[in-house]
Amino acid sequence: MSSGHNQFELLRQRRFLPFFAVQCFGAFNDNVYRQAIIGLLFYLGIDAQQRTLYTNLAPALFILPYFLFSSIAGQIAEKLEKQRLIVITTTMEICIMTLAAVGFMTQNLPVLLVALFCTGTQSTLFGPVKYSILPSVLKPEELTGGNGLVEMGTSLSILVGMIFGGLIFQIAGTHGPITAATAVIAFAVAGNLVARMVPRVEAGAPDLKLNWNLLSESLAIMRLARKQLAVRNAILGVSWFWFIGTVLTAQLPTYAEVNLGGTPSLYIFALALFSIGTGTGSLLCEKLSGRVVEIGLVPLGAFGITAFMLDLYFARPGAAAHSGLSVMQFLQAHGGWRICMDLVGIGLFTGFFVVPLFALIQSRTPRSELSRVIAGVNIQNSLFIVIAAVLGIAVQRFLGWSIPQVFLALAIANAVVAIWIFSIVPEFLMRFLSWVMVRALYRLRLHGIERSIPDEGPALIVCNHVSYMDALILSAAIPRPVRFVMYYRIFNIPVMRWIFRNAKAIPIAGARENPALMQEAFEQIDAALADGQLVGIFPEGALTKDGQMAAFKSGVEKILERRPVPVVPMALRGMWASMWSHRDSRLHRMRLPRRSRARIEVVAGAPMPADSSAEQLEARVRALRGDAA
């Protein structure tokens, strides 16, 4: 969709690679440590009842610091220079893992559990930095790709860490305690060394006064996170992602044994499929979104999760016919490959679901508040994780549900929650519909968008007007929401009206047709620009009837006289041959498009001053359009 950018190029750049490596080391080491403790329990011959107590207690100890300390962590991440804070947290990890090493060497479970609580505290401090640093080191058009890499790295680090940690005592045998102790310290030291290579990133709010009252600050942070409706619901979506992931992964060990008839290796295989799916979906987000923060992928992800989770239920609604199956035996059994595809599919669509949500939170939250908002996300995420764990146990113990029935209920609940979120914030569904329509019909190439569209603040966008699809195409090309001014008859086209209305488009009529509507449109334009929004207009006043640009009307000058803002000239190329233009008669336009997924281009020029005349703006747009009508 744009010039040959590849998100993997970020992995060769110092502004991203060291940070990416640090967070991968952290996720990896946390899981090595937690799985090594389980390995120690087996090594010591602890009975099943005590192991069960640990497996329930350990996650609670790890999550508890998120409730207790996220409010402080968010403030510290806002106040301190971020590279310094990363070094501090990774130094903490070395100290904590040294304590853990003592626990392994002395085979002392209370010491290991104290270290686990400390690990949760360290993760709580690192969490706000992890996501708030990205908008500072990445360009707006790199946010989706960067978040995709982080989610992919986290998913695979967790998986590999679990496998590595689980194998320590199996492979090392009597040397297991010293191997585990050495491993967790070594990985912590490696993370700290890499952290020192992260470039300096200035604090978001260096003058912030810390509030040490945990309760009042937690409430203040949650209020801060709920200021913008779209951000608030993006945060709700991220927490729902953690709810789904917790329910699914918590059931996988028993599901693999009872319903798939597998050995412990089959559980790891199932977890690997889900993790690989999530990583792949996260990476694909940039390709599908065309390097903008495309929240249209969120509904796609939500309904994809439901579809594959429903199929997972129907693929194996009861217990397995055989037990003790290896991975290969499972794949050869009836329905094995179908279940594999479902697990990968669920992971794939969770990637589509969560990556744009994180990118939206980062792009629409002021830098001086982002670390605290991420801390609020962590508080809410931990609450949803606890609720998911409690509900997962309750419905099985008290309602007698099987694990496939839990998956069925989760699929239905996911669809209901998705519909509820999208009904509250129609922008999600509107972007999805426009994303599907534009990408089904066209192959977009973008030129100059990243340089020309301001990251924040008001601007007026002016463009040539070729077809009924112009506003949707520009919406798909511009990373920020745009309020388009459009002729009221186009605004009222059936079906499209719903999209335009929810995109907060501004209908306008000519002075002779409806002077009141025209005056109201100018008032809305001024209010939107005063609020720091982008407003898009088509100064020709109507669709071209011959493929040539008409003269720009003086309305654009009236807007700029009233509210002087930068003007971004843009041009559409290749739309004259579209079925949505006036090139053919109405009867001919009713047939199928002439070209399948036609190539079209959107070109943006450098912003022009507010005192530019209509003639100057027209000349600039003509130059950008060139001969490509």
Side-chain angles (χ1 to χ4, degrees):
M1 178 171 164
S2 62
S3 56
H5 171 85
N6 185 326
Q7 68 202 81
F8 291 103
E9 291 174 9
L10 292 173
L11 295 176
R12 297 189 299 198
Q13 299 176 25
R14 190 184 164 211
R15 64 192 169 112
F16 183 80
L17 178 59
F19 160 74
F20 174 78
V22 167
Q23 66 91 24
C24 285
F25 270 121
F28 175 79
N29 206 19
D30 283 350
N31 284 277
V32 168
Y33 176 47
R34 290 160 72 175
Q35 292 301 311
I37 298 177
I38 295 175
L40 178 65
L41 294 175
F42 281 98
Y43 174 76
L44 295 175
I46 302 293
D47 62 58
Q49 188 174 359
Q50 285 185 283
R51 286 203 308 272
T52 303
L53 175 65
Y54 164 77
T55 54
N56 286 291
L57 182 61
L61 283 173
F62 189 79
I63 287 293
L64 183 60
Y66 283 92
F67 284 112
L68 297 178
F69 307 129
S70 280
S71 59
I72 302 299
Q75 294 178 87
I76 292 172
E78 212 83 90
K79 188 174 179 64
L80 293 185
E81 187 269 317
K82 288 180 169 53
Q83 189 268 350
R84 180 185 168 201
L85 184 55
I86 292 172
V87 171
I88 289 171
T89 55
T90 52
T91 304
M92 282 178 60
E93 186 180 0
I94 294 174
C95 298
I96 294 164
M97 288 307 166
T98 302
L99 176 64
V102 172
F104 280 123
M105 293 300 293
T106 59
Q107 299 172 18
N108 188 316
L109 284 177
V111 170
L112 289 169
L113 292 176
V114 168
L116 185 63
F117 177 83
C118 293
T119 301
T121 303
Q122 185 261 344
S123 296
T124 302
L125 286 171
F126 183 69
V129 186
K130 176 178 176 178
Y131 287 105
S132 66
I133 198 173
L134 290 179
S136 299
V137 300
L138 300 181
K139 300 171 186 174
E141 66 274 10
E142 294 173 332
L143 266 184
T144 298
N147 276 284
L149 286 168
V150 168
E151 288 302 318
M152 177 275 295
T154 303
S155 295
L156 296 185
S157 296
I158 290 171
L159 174 66
V160 177
M162 289 180 70
I163 294 171
F164 183 88
L167 290 175
I168 284 176
F169 279 88
Q170 291 184 35
I171 294 174
T174 55
H175 300 292
I178 191 170
T179 305
T182 305
V184 293
I185 292 176
F187 292 128
V189 170
N192 182 260
L193 291 174
V194 176
R196 296 173 190 277
M197 299 167 64
V198 175
R200 180 181 175 86
V201 179
E202 294 302 330
D207 300 325
L208 182 71
K209 291 185 178 179
L210 297 183
N211 175 9
W212 294 96
N213 186 315
L214 299 178
L215 180 60
S216 68
E217 185 59 26
S218 294
L219 294 173
I221 279 176
M222 294 308 294
R223 284 195 297 272
L224 194 66
R226 295 170 64 85
K227 276 202 310 186
Q228 289 188 58
L229 186 63
V231 171
R232 185 187 79 187
N233 285 282
I235 292 171
L236 179 63
V238 169
S239 296
W240 181 249
F241 159 80
W242 279 102
F243 182 94
I244 292 171
T246 300
V247 172
L248 184 69
T249 55
Q251 312 312 318
L252 271 185
T254 307
Y255 178 72
E257 180 184 353
V258 174
N259 300 93
L260 305 186
T263 57
S265 62
L266 187 58
Y267 155 61
I268 296 296
F269 179 69
L271 185 65
L273 292 173
F274 176 71
S275 300
I276 291 167
T278 304
T280 304
S282 299
L283 290 178
L284 284 174
C285 281
E286 187 186 59
K287 178 72 173 175
L288 292 172
S289 67
R291 304 190 72 201
V292 300
V293 177
E294 183 50 82
I295 58 175
L297 290 177
V298 178
L300 177 67
F303 296 126
I305 292 168
T306 288
F308 278 103
M309 202 163 278
L310 281 173
D311 194 68
L312 187 63
Y313 167 76
F314 289 111
R316 189 66 61 83
H322 305 283
S323 60
L325 299 178
S326 67
V327 172
M328 289 307 299
Q329 288 171 328
F330 167 72
L331 292 176
Q332 291 165 3
H334 176 71
W337 282 103
R338 177 180 173 184
I339 292 169
C340 291
M341 291 300 297
D342 287 334
L343 289 169
V344 172
I346 294 168
L348 185 77
F349 282 93
T350 53
F352 293 165
F353 182 77
V354 76
V355 169
L357 291 176
F358 267 124
L360 182 143
I361 293 167
Q362 292 160 346
S363 66
R364 298 198 191 176
T365 302
R367 296 279 174 86
S368 60
E369 299 175 358
L370 184 55
S371 292
R372 284 172 289 167
V373 168
I374 295 296
V377 175
N378 288 340
I379 293 172
Q380 188 168 292
N381 287 351
S382 54
L383 179 63
F384 272 63
I385 288 169
V386 171
I387 292 171
V390 171
L391 274 179
I393 295 168
V395 295
Q396 292 177 72
R397 180 163 295 180
F398 299 113
L399 300 181
W401 289 7
S402 66
I403 291 177
Q405 287 173 326
V406 172
F407 292 162
L408 176 63
L410 188 62
I412 296 169
N414 181 64
V416 171
V417 169
I419 291 168
W420 177 60
I421 292 176
F422 305 145
S423 67
I424 294 174
V425 189
E427 183 187 355
F428 284 85
L429 200 55
M430 180 277 298
R431 290 286 300 197
F432 171 63
L433 291 175
S434 61
W435 179 82
V436 169
M437 289 178 69
V438 170
R439 279 159 185 78
L441 293 171
Y442 305 109
R443 282 176 288 178
L444 282 175
R445 284 191 64 82
L446 307 184
H447 305 276
I449 305 292
E450 300 156 4
R451 296 189 303 272
S452 304
I453 302 296
D455 296 342
E456 54 189 22
L460 186 68
I461 292 167
V462 297
C463 187
N464 58 318
H465 205 6
V466 188
S467 77
Y468 292 107
M469 291 286 286
D470 291 353
L472 286 182
I473 290 167
L474 292 177
S475 292
I478 296 170
R480 289 176 59 191
V482 183
R483 295 194 63 183
F484 283 99
V485 182
M486 58 180 60
Y487 186 47
Y488 76 103
R489 292 188 187 276
I490 296 178
F491 181 90
N492 288 321
I493 292 173
V495 181
M496 304 292 282
R497 173 184 170 82
W498 183 88
I499 295 176
F500 293 144
R501 187 173 67 246
N502 285 296
K504 298 182 180 178
I506 301 169
I508 193 169
R512 294 179 181 176
E513 285 180 291
N514 192 332
L517 183 60
M518 183 178 183
Q519 184 58 37
E520 183 184 343
F522 276 103
E523 295 292 339
Q524 288 190 55
I525 293 167
D526 188 63
L529 292 172
D531 191 42
Q533 300 178 48
L534 296 181
V535 174
I537 64 170
F538 301 100
E540 294 168 88
L543 267 63
T544 177
K545 290 182 168 55
D546 57 7
Q548 301 302 311
M549 276 182 58
F552 280 14
K553 298 187 183 299
S554 61
V556 64
E557 295 175 351
K558 293 178 184 176
I559 293 170
L560 294 169
E561 283 171 11
R562 191 168 177 178
R563 185 71 55 180
V565 296
V567 188
V568 180
M570 297 184 70
L572 287 160
R573 296 176 176 174
M575 282 302 295
W576 177 238
S578 165
M579 66 181 287
W580 306 97
S581 72
H582 279 322
R583 174 175 164 175
D584 290 331
S585 67
R586 182 173 296 182
L587 179 63
H588 284 169
R589 288 203 303 273
M590 293 302 291
R591 58 173 168 68
L592 291 173
R594 277 176 290 278
R595 302 169 296 167
S596 174
R597 297 207 66 227
R599 291 184 183 275
I600 59 172
E601 296 177 274
V602 180
V603 189
M608 298 175 67
D611 58 0
S612 301
S613 67
E615 289 79 11
Q616 289 172 320
L617 294 172
E618 178 195 332
R620 184 69 184 115
V621 173
R622 283 184 184 277
L624 292 172
R625 192 200 72 151
D627 297 327

Coordinates of all heavy atoms in Angstrom, one line a residue, residues 97-158:
M97 N 16.3 -12.3 40.8 CA 16.7 -13.6 40.3 C 17.8 -14.2 41.2 O 18.0 -15.4 41.3 CB 17.0 -13.6 38.9 CG 15.8 -13.4 38.0 SD 14.5 -14.6 38.3 CE 13.2 -13.9 37.4
T98 N 18.6 -13.3 41.8 CA 19.6 -13.8 42.8 C 18.9 -14.4 44.0 O 19.4 -15.5 44.5 CB 20.6 -12.6 43.2 OG1 21.2 -12.1 42.0 CG2 21.6 -13.1 44.1
L99 N 17.9 -13.7 44.5 CA 17.1 -14.3 45.5 C 16.5 -15.6 45.1 O 16.4 -16.6 45.9 CB 16.0 -13.3 46.0 CG 15.0 -13.8 47.0 CD1 15.7 -14.0 48.4 CD2 13.9 -12.7 47.2
A100 N 15.9 -15.7 43.9 CA 15.3 -16.9 43.3 C 16.4 -18.0 43.3 O 16.1 -19.2 43.6 CB 14.7 -16.6 42.0
A101 N 17.6 -17.6 42.9 CA 18.7 -18.7 42.8 C 18.9 -19.3 44.2 O 19.1 -20.5 44.3 CB 19.9 -18.0 42.2
V102 N 18.9 -18.4 45.2 CA 19.0 -18.9 46.6 C 17.9 -19.9 46.9 O 18.1 -21.0 47.5 CB 19.0 -17.8 47.6 CG1 19.0 -18.3 49.0 CG2 20.3 -16.9 47.4
G103 N 16.7 -19.6 46.5 CA 15.6 -20.5 46.7 C 15.7 -21.8 46.0 O 15.4 -22.8 46.5
F104 N 16.2 -21.8 44.7 CA 16.5 -23.0 44.0 C 17.6 -23.9 44.7 O 17.4 -25.1 44.9 CB 16.9 -22.7 42.6 CG 15.7 -22.4 41.6 CD1 15.7 -21.2 40.9 CD2 14.7 -23.3 41.5 CE1 14.6 -20.9 40.1 CE2 13.6 -23.1 40.6 CZ 13.6 -21.9 40.0
M105 N 18.7 -23.2 45.1 CA 19.8 -23.9 45.6 C 19.5 -24.5 47.0 O 19.9 -25.6 47.3 CB 21.0 -23.0 45.8 CG 21.6 -22.5 44.5 SD 22.2 -23.8 43.4 CE 23.6 -24.4 44.3
T106 N 18.7 -23.8 47.8 CA 18.3 -24.4 49.1 C 17.0 -25.1 49.0 O 16.5 -25.7 50.0 CB 18.1 -23.2 50.1 OG1 17.1 -22.3 49.6 CG2 19.4 -22.5 50.3
Q107 N 16.3 -25.1 47.8 CA 15.1 -25.9 47.6 C 14.0 -25.4 48.6 O 13.2 -26.2 49.1 CB 15.3 -27.4 47.6 CG 16.3 -27.8 46.6 CD 16.7 -29.3 46.7 OE1 16.0 -30.1 47.4 NE2 17.8 -29.7 46.1
N108 N 14.0 -24.0 48.7 CA 13.1 -23.4 49.7 C 11.9 -22.7 48.9 O 12.1 -21.7 48.3 CB 13.9 -22.3 50.5 CG 13.1 -21.8 51.6 OD1 11.9 -21.4 51.5 ND2 13.8 -21.6 52.8
L109 N 10.7 -23.3 49.0 CA 9.6 -22.8 48.3 C 9.1 -21.4 48.7 O 8.8 -20.6 47.9 CB 8.4 -23.8 48.3 CG 8.6 -25.0 47.4 CD1 7.4 -26.0 47.6 CD2 8.7 -24.6 46.0
P110 N 9.1 -21.1 50.1 CA 8.7 -19.8 50.5 C 9.6 -18.7 49.9 O 9.1 -17.6 49.4 CB 8.8 -19.8 52.0 CG 8.5 -21.3 52.3 CD 9.2 -22.0 51.2
V111 N 10.9 -18.9 49.8 CA 11.8 -17.9 49.2 C 11.5 -17.8 47.7 O 11.4 -16.6 47.2 CB 13.3 -18.4 49.4 CG1 14.2 -17.5 48.5 CG2 13.7 -18.3 50.8
L112 N 11.2 -18.9 47.0 CA 10.8 -18.8 45.6 C 9.5 -18.0 45.4 O 9.4 -17.3 44.4 CB 10.7 -20.2 45.0 CG 12.0 -21.0 44.9 CD1 11.8 -22.4 44.6 CD2 12.9 -20.3 43.8
L113 N 8.6 -18.2 46.3 CA 7.3 -17.5 46.1 C 7.5 -16.0 46.4 O 6.8 -15.1 45.8 CB 6.2 -18.1 47.1 CG 5.8 -19.5 46.6 CD1 4.8 -20.1 47.7 CD2 5.2 -19.5 45.3
V114 N 8.3 -15.6 47.4 CA 8.6 -14.2 47.7 C 9.3 -13.6 46.4 O 8.9 -12.5 46.0 CB 9.5 -14.1 48.9 CG1 10.1 -12.6 49.0 CG2 8.8 -14.4 50.2
A115 N 10.2 -14.3 45.8 CA 10.9 -13.8 44.6 C 9.9 -13.7 43.5 O 10.0 -12.8 42.7 CB 12.0 -14.8 44.2
L116 N 8.9 -14.6 43.4 CA 7.9 -14.5 42.4 C 7.0 -13.2 42.6 O 6.7 -12.5 41.6 CB 7.0 -15.7 42.4 CG 5.9 -15.9 41.3 CD1 6.6 -16.0 40.0 CD2 5.0 -17.1 41.5
F117 N 6.7 -12.9 43.8 CA 5.9 -11.7 44.1 C 6.8 -10.5 43.6 O 6.3 -9.5 43.0 CB 5.6 -11.6 45.6 CG 4.9 -10.3 45.9 CD1 3.6 -10.1 45.8 CD2 5.7 -9.2 46.5 CE1 2.9 -8.9 46.1 CE2 5.1 -8.0 46.8 CZ 3.7 -7.9 46.6
C118 N 8.1 -10.5 43.9 CA 9.0 -9.4 43.5 C 9.1 -9.3 42.0 O 9.2 -8.2 41.4 CB 10.4 -9.7 44.1 SG 10.4 -9.5 45.9
T119 N 9.1 -10.5 41.3 CA 9.1 -10.5 39.9 C 7.9 -9.8 39.3 O 7.9 -9.0 38.3 CB 9.1 -11.9 39.3 OG1 10.3 -12.6 39.8 CG2 9.2 -12.0 37.8
G120 N 6.7 -10.1 39.9 CA 5.5 -9.4 39.5 C 5.6 -7.9 39.7 O 5.1 -7.1 38.9
T121 N 6.2 -7.4 40.8 CA 6.5 -6.0 41.1 C 7.3 -5.4 40.0 O 7.1 -4.3 39.5 CB 7.1 -5.8 42.5 OG1 6.3 -6.5 43.5 CG2 7.3 -4.4 42.8
Q122 N 8.4 -6.1 39.7 CA 9.3 -5.6 38.6 C 8.6 -5.5 37.3 O 8.7 -4.5 36.6 CB 10.5 -6.5 38.5 CG 11.6 -6.0 37.6 CD 11.5 -6.7 36.2 OE1 10.9 -7.8 36.1 NE2 12.2 -6.2 35.2
S123 N 7.8 -6.5 37.0 CA 7.0 -6.4 35.7 C 6.0 -5.3 35.7 O 5.7 -4.6 34.7 CB 6.2 -7.7 35.5 OG 7.2 -8.8 35.4
T124 N 5.4 -5.0 36.9 CA 4.5 -3.9 37.1 C 5.2 -2.5 36.8 O 4.6 -1.7 36.1 CB 3.9 -3.8 38.5 OG1 3.3 -5.1 38.8 CG2 2.9 -2.7 38.7
L125 N 6.4 -2.4 37.2 CA 7.2 -1.2 36.9 C 7.6 -1.0 35.5 O 7.6 0.1 34.9 CB 8.5 -1.1 37.8 CG 8.3 -0.8 39.3 CD1 9.6 -1.0 40.1 CD2 7.8 0.6 39.5
F126 N 7.9 -2.2 34.8 CA 8.3 -2.2 33.4 C 7.1 -2.0 32.5 O 7.3 -1.4 31.4 CB 9.0 -3.5 33.1 CG 9.6 -3.5 31.7 CD1 10.6 -2.7 31.3 CD2 9.0 -4.4 30.8 CE1 11.1 -2.7 30.0 CE2 9.5 -4.4 29.5 CZ 10.6 -3.6 29.1
G127 N 5.9 -2.4 32.9 CA 4.8 -2.4 32.0 C 4.5 -1.1 31.4 O 4.3 -1.0 30.1
P128 N 4.3 0.0 32.1 CA 4.0 1.3 31.5 C 5.1 1.8 30.6 O 4.8 2.5 29.6 CB 3.9 2.3 32.7 CG 3.6 1.4 33.9 CD 4.3 0.1 33.6
V129 N 6.4 1.4 30.8 CA 7.4 1.8 29.9 C 7.3 1.1 28.6 O 7.6 1.6 27.5 CB 8.8 1.5 30.5 CG1 9.9 2.1 29.6 CG2 8.9 2.1 31.9
K130 N 6.9 -0.2 28.7 CA 6.9 -1.1 27.5 C 6.1 -0.5 26.4 O 6.6 -0.6 25.2 CB 6.4 -2.5 27.9 CG 6.2 -3.5 26.8 CD 5.7 -4.8 27.3 CE 5.4 -5.8 26.1 NZ 5.0 -7.1 26.6
Y131 N 4.9 0.0 26.7 CA 4.1 0.5 25.6 C 4.2 2.0 25.4 O 3.9 2.5 24.3 CB 2.7 0.1 25.8 CG 2.5 -1.4 25.5 CD1 2.3 -2.3 26.6 CD2 2.5 -1.9 24.2 CE1 2.1 -3.7 26.3 CE2 2.3 -3.2 24.0 CZ 2.1 -4.1 25.0 OH 2.0 -5.5 24.8
S132 N 4.5 2.8 26.5 CA 4.6 4.2 26.3 C 5.8 4.7 25.6 O 5.9 5.8 25.1 CB 4.5 4.9 27.7 OG 5.7 4.6 28.5
I133 N 6.9 3.8 25.5 CA 8.1 4.2 24.8 C 7.9 4.2 23.3 O 8.6 4.9 22.6 CB 9.3 3.3 25.3 CG1 10.6 3.9 24.9 CG2 9.2 1.9 24.6 CD1 11.8 3.2 25.5
L134 N 7.0 3.3 22.8 CA 6.9 3.2 21.4 C 6.6 4.4 20.6 O 7.2 4.7 19.6 CB 5.9 2.0 21.0 CG 6.4 0.6 21.4 CD1 5.3 -0.4 21.1 CD2 7.7 0.3 20.7
P135 N 5.6 5.2 21.0 CA 5.3 6.5 20.3 C 6.4 7.5 20.3 O 6.5 8.3 19.4 CB 4.0 7.0 21.0 CG 3.5 5.9 21.8 CD 4.6 5.0 22.2
S136 N 7.3 7.3 21.3 CA 8.5 8.3 21.3 C 9.6 7.9 20.4 O 10.3 8.7 19.9 CB 9.0 8.3 22.8 OG 8.0 8.8 23.7
V137 N 9.7 6.6 20.1 CA 10.8 6.1 19.2 C 10.4 5.7 17.8 O 11.2 5.6 16.9 CB 11.6 4.9 19.9 CG1 12.1 5.3 21.2 CG2 10.7 3.7 20.0
L138 N 9.1 5.6 17.6 CA 8.5 5.2 16.3 C 7.8 6.4 15.7 O 7.1 7.2 16.4 CB 7.6 4.0 16.4 CG 8.2 2.7 17.0 CD1 7.2 1.6 17.0 CD2 9.5 2.3 16.2
K139 N 7.8 6.4 14.3 CA 6.9 7.4 13.6 C 5.5 6.9 13.7 O 5.2 5.7 13.9 CB 7.4 7.5 12.2 CG 8.8 7.9 12.0 CD 9.2 7.8 10.5 CE 10.7 8.1 10.4 NZ 11.2 7.8 9.0
P140 N 4.5 7.8 13.5 CA 3.1 7.3 13.6 C 2.8 6.2 12.7 O 2.0 5.2 13.1 CB 2.3 8.6 13.2 CG 3.2 9.7 13.6 CD 4.6 9.2 13.4
E141 N 3.3 6.2 11.5 CA 3.0 5.1 10.5 C 3.7 3.8 10.9 O 3.5 2.8 10.3 CB 3.4 5.5 9.1 CG 4.9 5.8 8.9 CD 5.4 7.1 9.2 OE1 4.6 7.9 9.9 OE2 6.5 7.5 8.9
E142 N 4.7 3.8 11.9 CA 5.3 2.6 12.3 C 4.7 2.0 13.6 O 5.1 0.9 14.0 CB 6.8 2.9 12.6 CG 7.6 3.4 11.4 CD 9.0 3.8 11.7 OE1 9.2 4.4 12.9 OE2 9.9 3.7 10.9
L143 N 3.7 2.7 14.1 CA 3.2 2.2 15.4 C 2.6 0.8 15.3 O 2.8 -0.1 16.1 CB 2.1 3.2 15.9 CG 2.6 4.2 16.9 CD1 1.4 5.1 17.4 CD2 3.3 3.6 18.1
T144 N 1.8 0.6 14.2 CA 1.1 -0.7 14.1 C 2.2 -1.8 13.9 O 2.1 -2.9 14.6 CB 0.1 -0.7 12.9 OG1 -0.9 0.3 13.2 CG2 -0.5 -2.1 12.7
G145 N 3.2 -1.6 13.0 CA 4.2 -2.6 12.8 C 5.0 -2.8 14.1 O 5.4 -4.0 14.4
G146 N 5.4 -1.8 14.8 CA 6.2 -1.9 16.0 C 5.4 -2.7 17.1 O 6.0 -3.5 17.8
N147 N 4.1 -2.3 17.3 CA 3.3 -3.1 18.2 C 3.2 -4.6 17.8 O 3.2 -5.4 18.7 CB 1.9 -2.4 18.4 CG 1.9 -1.3 19.4 OD1 1.9 -1.5 20.6 ND2 1.9 -0.1 18.8
G148 N 3.1 -4.8 16.5 CA 3.0 -6.2 16.0 C 4.2 -7.0 16.4 O 4.1 -8.1 16.8
L149 N 5.4 -6.3 16.2 CA 6.6 -7.0 16.6 C 6.7 -7.3 18.1 O 7.2 -8.4 18.5 CB 7.8 -6.1 16.1 CG 8.1 -6.1 14.6 CD1 9.1 -5.0 14.3 CD2 8.6 -7.5 14.1
V150 N 6.3 -6.3 18.9 CA 6.3 -6.5 20.3 C 5.4 -7.6 20.8 O 5.8 -8.5 21.6 CB 6.0 -5.2 21.1 CG1 5.7 -5.4 22.5 CG2 7.1 -4.1 20.9
E151 N 4.2 -7.7 20.2 CA 3.3 -8.7 20.6 C 3.8 -10.1 20.1 O 3.7 -11.1 20.8 CB 1.9 -8.5 19.9 CG 1.1 -7.3 20.6 CD 0.9 -7.5 22.1 OE1 0.6 -8.7 22.5 OE2 1.1 -6.6 22.8
M152 N 4.3 -10.1 18.9 CA 4.9 -11.4 18.4 C 6.1 -11.8 19.3 O 6.2 -13.0 19.7 CB 5.4 -11.2 16.9 CG 6.1 -12.4 16.3 SD 7.9 -12.5 16.7 CE 8.5 -11.0 15.9
G153 N 7.0 -10.9 19.6 CA 8.1 -11.2 20.4 C 7.7 -11.7 21.8 O 8.2 -12.7 22.4
T154 N 6.7 -11.0 22.4 CA 6.2 -11.4 23.7 C 5.6 -12.8 23.7 O 5.9 -13.7 24.5 CB 5.1 -10.4 24.2 OG1 5.7 -9.1 24.3 CG2 4.6 -10.8 25.6
S155 N 4.7 -13.1 22.7 CA 4.1 -14.4 22.6 C 5.1 -15.5 22.4 O 5.0 -16.6 23.1 CB 3.1 -14.5 21.3 OG 2.1 -13.6 21.5
L156 N 6.1 -15.4 21.5 CA 7.1 -16.4 21.3 C 8.0 -16.5 22.5 O 8.5 -17.7 22.8 CB 7.8 -16.2 20.0 CG 6.9 -16.2 18.7 CD1 7.8 -16.0 17.5 CD2 6.1 -17.5 18.7
S157 N 8.3 -15.4 23.2 CA 9.2 -15.5 24.3 C 8.6 -16.2 25.5 O 9.2 -17.0 26.2 CB 9.6 -14.1 24.8 OG 10.3 -13.4 23.8
I158 N 7.3 -16.0 25.7 CA 6.5 -16.7 26.7 C 6.5 -18.2 26.4 O 6.8 -19.0 27.3 CB 5.1 -16.2 26.8 CG1 5.1 -14.8 27.4 CG2 4.2 -17.1 27.7 CD1 3.8 -14.1 27.4

